[in-house]
């Protein structure tokens, strides 16, 4: 059976950083991704990233991917398998995967799971009409395939993703009628909110979508005000004419493989839902199984890359490559992550991690 | 206001302005980044070291005695929150340099709609400079001439 020192599942920013950090310590790595190229969420992020310049902030997501991919391609210790779906991880560390439609198995000394997250759905009448999209799908259509999802969009959710995808829709020449947000305040960064406001998109807080209108496809929506308990206030309903409703109401970690590997999972709403319990070195309660990125806590790419580096180094160290420099480097990343989360925006994450 | 509407108030903006004396001396940056977020390219990109932060979550702080108004940060800031204002033009006009990522790009000499913070048309803007070099990586830096009483209002343009 095929063997690798470390297997990394998922080739987003977390997985790619993990691969590079571990390969630096001289271990052999296999990285698998079900998509046809490495990059994860970054391949559709045409905007400049916020975050730490050390983790490429100020650079566009699509450019960050190029930098990481080049470093990986240059490294002979990293084997890349795209179009490869990891199906199962068993307790004896046998990994089952599908590559080019064929079923294979392999083993690895350590496994790092970086499978990212899936978009959440929202309950409302007619939410199965064609024209109701997730924000990720809209981003993929526009920025990977160059297709406009519609002509006039209603965006649900004023978190960073809702704000940024709105901005990208405007860049693609699509009209955005409004952004609605059930919470009393805008959840995303205010710099991103100001950016879409000055291009004429209104943001309605304490508002939700009640119904999607249309017979065969979306032709409009009914909006309504909500109270402090997020209940619709009767009599506040009004119609808005749109042909697309774009949902950006949060992400949920894709943690199935982690559960299957036998690691303990807890429900921590602040971190995005079902989250693996793990140590500071990103090892789960299942020995030899590490996690990094959105699958371990919904955050952003800077954090995903630092966590990836920590997990990569930890896994490499655990295979026996425990040079003092490697341990020192890992401690530096752990400190960097602590500083990143030490501000106001990191409070939710800190609270969540304290519960873990 | 900002947290409900995405629009910074006039008072918030005025707090970001340098001293009256510095304003008379030449172009200066206004960093309209009012919320503590983990972000720092404005600090690391400034060759003059005018912008500082205690740590990555701090608000950017600009030393306007050092800022040369070079506009480097205008294109690099991912929040599109850095603007350079020049009040030394005279004739009741000022220059505002802003980041622009829409297409089509305006051309030098075009007179376009000046957009306010909510996207409404607040006046006319004459495009006096368009910098869209490769180094800027598709965030063009556009300088427009507008009436000086629009110093708080104008934050974008519409090229139709
Ligand atoms: C619209 C939008 C804007 C954003 N803007 C910013 C920003 O400005 N700054 C910032 O820092 N962050 C931003 N983020 C967040 C950032 O993109 C994510 O936090 C980051 O991509 C998470 O990285 P990851 O590696 O954990 O997961 P992902 O990038 O999601 O990668 C996971 C990978 O795993 C693969 N995979 C999953 N399951 C399997 C399996 N079973 N087998 C094989 N492969 C599998 C997937 O194909 C995918 O490639 C944004 C996100 C979105 C959606
Ligand atoms: S305008 Fe130039 S000198 Fe002033 S803060 Fe920006 S980068 Fe620094
Ligand atoms: S780079 Fe822009 S968004 Fe980031 S902290 Fe500086 S001013 Fe704010």
């Amino acid at each position: 059976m095929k063997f690798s020192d470390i297997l990394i599942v998922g080739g987003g920013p977390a997985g790619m950083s993990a691969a590079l950090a571990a390969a630096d310590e001289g271990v052999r790595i296999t990285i698998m991704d079900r998509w046809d190229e490495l990059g994860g969420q970054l391949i559709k992020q045409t905007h400049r990233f916020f975050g730490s310049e050390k983790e490429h902030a100020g650079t566009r997501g699509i450019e960050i991917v190029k930098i990481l991919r080049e470093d990986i391609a240059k490294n002979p210790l990293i084997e890349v398998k795209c179009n490869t779906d990891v199906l199962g991880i068993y307790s004896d560390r046998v990994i089952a995967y599908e590559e080019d439609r064929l079923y294979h198995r392999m083993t690895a000394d350590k496994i790092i799971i970086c499978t990212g997250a899936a978009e959440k759905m929202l309950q409302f009448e007619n939410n199965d009409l064609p024209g109701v999209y997730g924000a990720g799908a809209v981003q993929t259509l526009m920025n990977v395939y160059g297709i406009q999802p519609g002509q006039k969009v209603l965006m649900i959710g004023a978190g960073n993703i809702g704000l940024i995808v709105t901005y990208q829709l405007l860049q693609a020449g699509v009209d955005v009628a409004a952004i609605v947000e059930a919470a009393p305040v805008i959840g995303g960064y205010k710099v991103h909110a100001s950016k879409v406001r000055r291009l004429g998109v209104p943001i309605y807080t304490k508002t939700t979508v009640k119904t999607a209108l249309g017979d065969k496809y979306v032709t409009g929506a009914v909006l309504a005000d909500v109270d402090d308990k997020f209940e619709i206030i009767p009599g506040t309903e009004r119609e808005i004419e749109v042909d697309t409703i774009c949902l950006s109401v949060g992400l949920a970690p894709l943690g199935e493989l982690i559960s299957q590997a036998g690691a303990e999972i807890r429900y921590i709403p602040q971190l995005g839902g079902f989250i693996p319990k793990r140590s500071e070195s990103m090892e789960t309660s299942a020995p030899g199984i590490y996690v990094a990125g959105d699958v371990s806590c919904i955050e952003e790419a800077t954090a995903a890359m630092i966590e990836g580096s920590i997990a990569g180094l930890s896994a490499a160290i655990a295979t026996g490559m425990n040079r003092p420099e490697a341990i020192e480097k890992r401690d530096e990343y752990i400190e960097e992550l602590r500083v990143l989360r030490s501000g106001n925006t990191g409070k939710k994450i800190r609270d969540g991690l304290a519960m873990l | 206001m900002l947290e409900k509407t995405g629009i910074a108030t006039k008072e918030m903006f005025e707090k970001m302005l340098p001293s009256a004396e510095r304003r008379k001396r030449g172009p200066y940056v206004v960093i309209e980044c009012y919320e503590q977020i983990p972000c720092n390219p404005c600090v690391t990109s400034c060759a003059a070291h005018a912008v500082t932060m205690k740590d990555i979550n701090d608000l950017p702080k600009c030393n306007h005695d050092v800022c040369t108004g070079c506009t480097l940060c205008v294109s690099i800031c991912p929040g599109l929150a850095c603007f350079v204002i020049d009040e030394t033009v005279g004739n009741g006009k000022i220059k505002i340099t802003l980041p622009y990522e829409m297409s089509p790009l305006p051309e030098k000499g075009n007179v376009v709609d000046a957009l306010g913070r909510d996207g409404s048309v607040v006046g006319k803007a004459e495009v006096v400079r368009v910098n869209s070099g490769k180094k800027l990586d598709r965030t063009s830096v556009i300088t427009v001439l507008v009436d000086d009483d629009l110093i708080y209002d104008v934050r974008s343009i519409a090229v139709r």
Side-chain angles (χ1 to χ4, degrees), chain B:
Chain B
M1 168 106 173
L2 175 64
E3 57 182 17
K4 288 204 178 90
T5 62
I7 296 176
T9 62
K10 200 163 185 170
E11 291 71 48
M12 293 167 82
F13 162 70
E14 280 168 356
K15 277 204 190 121
M16 294 294 150
L17 286 172
S19 67
E21 189 205 37
R22 172 66 185 85
R23 288 169 63 181
K24 280 187 218 123
R25 222 169 51 223
Y28 56 84
V29 77
V30 180
I31 304 185
E32 297 218 44
C33 185
Y34 302 100
E35 177 192 27
Q36 291 187 328
I37 54 174
C39 182
N40 69 8
C42 53
V43 175
T44 49
S45 70
C46 177
H49 305 291
V51 190
T52 50
M53 270 181 200
K54 273 206 283 306
D55 70 60
I56 191 164
N57 283 290
D58 198 14
L59 288 178
K61 209 167 153 261
C62 182
N63 179 350
H64 282 105
D65 293 331
V66 180
C67 168
T68 59
C70 72
T71 76
L72 206 67
C73 53
V74 175
S75 75
I76 202 91
C77 164
L80 307 190
C82 298
F83 301 86
V84 169
I85 298 179
D86 184 354
E87 298 184 75
T88 64
V89 190
N91 284 336
K93 297 278 182 188
I94 54 168
K95 277 192 215 161
I96 301 183
T97 301
L98 42 88
Y100 192 71
E101 299 187 320
M102 297 291 149
S103 55
L105 274 182
E107 280 172 33
K108 191 179 162 182
N110 286 170
V111 176
V112 297
D113 283 336
L115 298 187
R117 290 170 189 260
D118 62 354
S120 60
V121 177
V122 292
K124 288 284 169 207
E126 183 190 338
V127 178
V128 292
R129 188 162 171 263
V130 177
N131 185 357
S132 57
K134 205 161 177 235
K135 253 179 107 182
L136 299 184
D137 188 21
R138 287 157 287 181
T139 306
S140 301
V141 173
I142 307 234
T143 306
V144 292
L145 202 60
V146 296
D147 290 343
D148 59 6
D149 57 349
L150 295 177
I151 186 168
Y152 159 74
D153 300 280
V154 176
R155 284 302 170 272
S156 191
I157 52 169
V159 185
R160 294 179 223 265

Side-chain angles (χ1 to χ4, degrees), chain A residues 9-16 32-35 37-42 44-45 47-51 84-87 114-117 119 135-136 139 160-162 164-165 168 192 251 254 257 292-305:
Chain A
V9 188
M16 289 198 283
M32 295 181 173
D33 199 295
R34 55 161 71 128
W35 195 253
E37 51 189 359
L38 294 181
Q41 299 289 331
L42 296 187
K44 52 194 183 193
Q45 288 167 15
H47 60 287
R48 289 177 189 275
F49 268 40
F50 52 81
T84 303
D85 209 329
V86 176
L87 308 169
C114 310
T115 42
E119 282 181 288
Q139 246 198 343
N160 275 331
I161 295 182
I164 288 168
V165 174
Q168 294 176 351
H192 291 316
L251 299 169
L254 274 173
L257 288 174
D294 278 355
V295 75
S296 74
C297 141
I298 305 294
E299 217 170 340
E300 28 75 33
T302 299
M305 286 187 263

Side-chain angles (χ1 to χ4, degrees), chain A residues 1-180:
Chain A
M1 208 184 316
K2 179 182 164 58
F3 172 81
S4 220
D5 293 327
I6 299 177
L7 170 74
I8 298 174
V9 188
M16 289 198 283
S17 303
L20 288 167
D24 256 1
E25 298 311 312
V27 291
R28 277 175 311 143
I29 291 138
T30 301
I31 179 166
M32 295 181 173
D33 199 295
R34 55 161 71 128
W35 195 253
D36 55 14
E37 51 189 359
L38 294 181
Q41 299 289 331
L42 296 187
I43 61 165
K44 52 194 183 193
Q45 288 167 15
T46 50
H47 60 287
R48 289 177 189 275
F49 268 40
F50 52 81
S52 158
E53 215 212 10
K54 210 166 142 208
E55 263 65 47
H56 310 290
T59 309
R60 295 178 193 286
I62 46 173
E63 304 295 334
I64 300 175
V65 173
K66 279 190 206 152
I67 299 170
L68 295 174
R69 272 192 206 149
E70 272 168 28
D71 288 349
I72 287 178
K74 275 193 294 221
N75 199 315
L77 288 171
I78 307 175
E79 176 195 27
V80 178
K81 282 184 178 292
C82 290
N83 293 313
T84 303
D85 209 329
V86 176
L87 308 169
I89 297 175
Y90 302 96
S91 54
D92 51 2
R93 232 165 273 158
V94 168
I95 299 117
Y97 62 95
E98 185 190 304
E99 183 182 13
D100 297 330
R101 302 194 183 176
L102 287 176
Y103 178 84
H104 303 269
R105 283 172 306 165
M106 70 172 284
T107 66
D109 195 359
K110 311 287 171 211
I111 301 170
I112 309 176
I113 300 175
C114 310
T115 42
E119 282 181 288
K120 287 184 186 160
M121 188 57 190
L122 187 69
Q123 304 302 323
F124 58 93
E125 200 182 332
N126 275 344
N127 69 0
D128 58 347
L129 266 186
V132 179
Y133 289 88
V138 162
Q139 246 198 343
T140 306
L141 273 179
M142 281 192 307
N143 300 347
V144 181
Y145 300 111
I147 296 169
Q148 291 179 329
Q151 294 307 314
K152 198 166 183 193
V153 176
L154 172 68
M155 179 66 69
I156 314 295
N160 275 331
I161 295 182
L163 296 173
I164 288 168
V165 174
T166 296
Y167 186 72
Q168 294 176 351
L169 280 160
L170 298 172
Q171 285 181 306
V174 177
D175 187 13
V176 180
I179 303 176
V180 302

